Amino acid sequence: MWQVALDLPDDALAAASAVLSATERARADRGTESVRRRRIALRAALRTAAARELGCSPAEVPLRTGESGRPEVAGPAELDVTCSSSGAVGLVAVGRGVRVGIDLERVTPWAPEVLAEGWLSDAEVAALLALPARARGIAAARVWAGKEAVLKAVGCGLTVAPTLVEPGFATTPVQVAGWTVAGLATPPGTVGRIACSRPRALGPRALSPRALSPRPLRPRPLVPRPLDLDPAGGSTP
């Protein structure tokens, strides 16, 4: 896993754009200027991370977008990739022989209206209301990040009801619907979580049609490594 700054200066942004495919640049261009710049930086970071595993240049990574909109590495390398961003910070992860999904969310002040948005299960609503009001904002962000990470890893996105995934809001790793969900050490004001399948489970996987409560695992969050894009479109070790 890597953490990457998305607010690149113009020369680094141009170098990052040069490693993207024409399709990737066209997608980035459909956003506002700030969105375009972040999309370019994040996609270049994803290519850079995958290139380290493949032993090639970032431009040579056979990266494509699957039918579900999920990034995929074509070929026999058994690599899976995922990324997420919030503001000027991005996270990328590469799994070999496993499926991975990652999500980064900004923590916002708690608002009771969140309970009526439809993505929390009844058990999660009760758990959030049992917390002091000051702790609910970050807890809700952790819950949503965990749901997004699992659904990204599964490859179905929000076509599956988020209420079916109950990752809880602990910072320690848990098992949810057959996935390991772990908290990440991210910049202040954000929360991040990653979901990982069992080894050799690269194909799309079905999600159990019922909510599963989290089961605790290792007692520590994971720390993404910094990934800096250099002017040549690569990265520093």
Side-chain angles (χ1 to χ4, degrees):
M1 288 177 297
W2 291 269
Q3 179 177 305
V4 59
L6 303 181
D7 52 348
L8 299 179
D10 290 345
D11 57 344
L13 186 73
S17 181
V19 308
L20 304 190
S21 68
T23 300
E24 290 169 332
R25 286 192 292 271
R27 180 185 180 276
D29 289 343
R30 290 196 290 269
T32 63
E33 178 60 14
S34 60
V35 169
R36 183 186 74 86
R37 296 176 72 95
R38 290 196 297 268
R39 283 178 176 171
I40 290 171
L42 186 62
R43 194 71 171 193
L46 194 63
R47 283 183 166 276
T48 298
R52 288 186 171 188
E53 292 293 323
L54 294 173
C56 64
S57 72
E60 293 172 324
V61 174
L63 190 63
R64 65 189 182 192
T65 300
E67 292 182 3
S68 65
R70 191 178 188 277
E72 299 174 349
V73 177
E78 293 193 327
L79 284 189
D80 197 43
V81 294
T82 182
C83 61
S84 185
S85 66
S86 179
V89 177
L91 296 177
V92 299
V94 178
R96 186 178 288 276
V98 296
R99 293 269 291 194
V100 289
I102 203 166
D103 193 58
L104 179 66
E105 297 290 334
R106 185 168 300 280
V107 178
T108 58
W110 170 253
E113 292 77 16
V114 169
L115 301 176
E117 290 177 352
W119 54 271
L120 291 164
S121 69
D122 291 343
E124 289 167 339
V125 169
L128 285 171
L129 291 178
L131 295 174
R134 65 180 181 278
R136 293 174 189 165
I138 191 169
R142 287 190 185 121
V143 172
W144 179 250
K147 291 174 184 283
E148 280 270 25
V150 171
L151 295 175
K152 282 183 178 181
V154 171
C156 62
L158 296 179
T159 61
V160 168
T163 53
L164 296 179
V165 183
E166 291 185 322
F169 44 74
T171 58
T172 51
V174 295
Q175 282 280 345
V176 181
W179 299 84
T180 299
V181 181
L184 305 174
T186 57
T190 65
V191 297
R193 298 182 88 174
I194 187 169
C196 182
S197 72
R198 296 183 181 89
R200 304 299 170 190
L202 280 182
R205 301 179 61 205
L207 188 67
S208 172
R210 60 189 178 89
L212 298 178
S213 298
R215 179 164 62 86
L217 294 172
R218 294 184 297 142
R220 64 183 179 88
L222 303 175
V223 182
R225 292 172 287 170
L227 180 67
D228 296 324
L229 302 180
D230 67 24
S235 66
T236 56

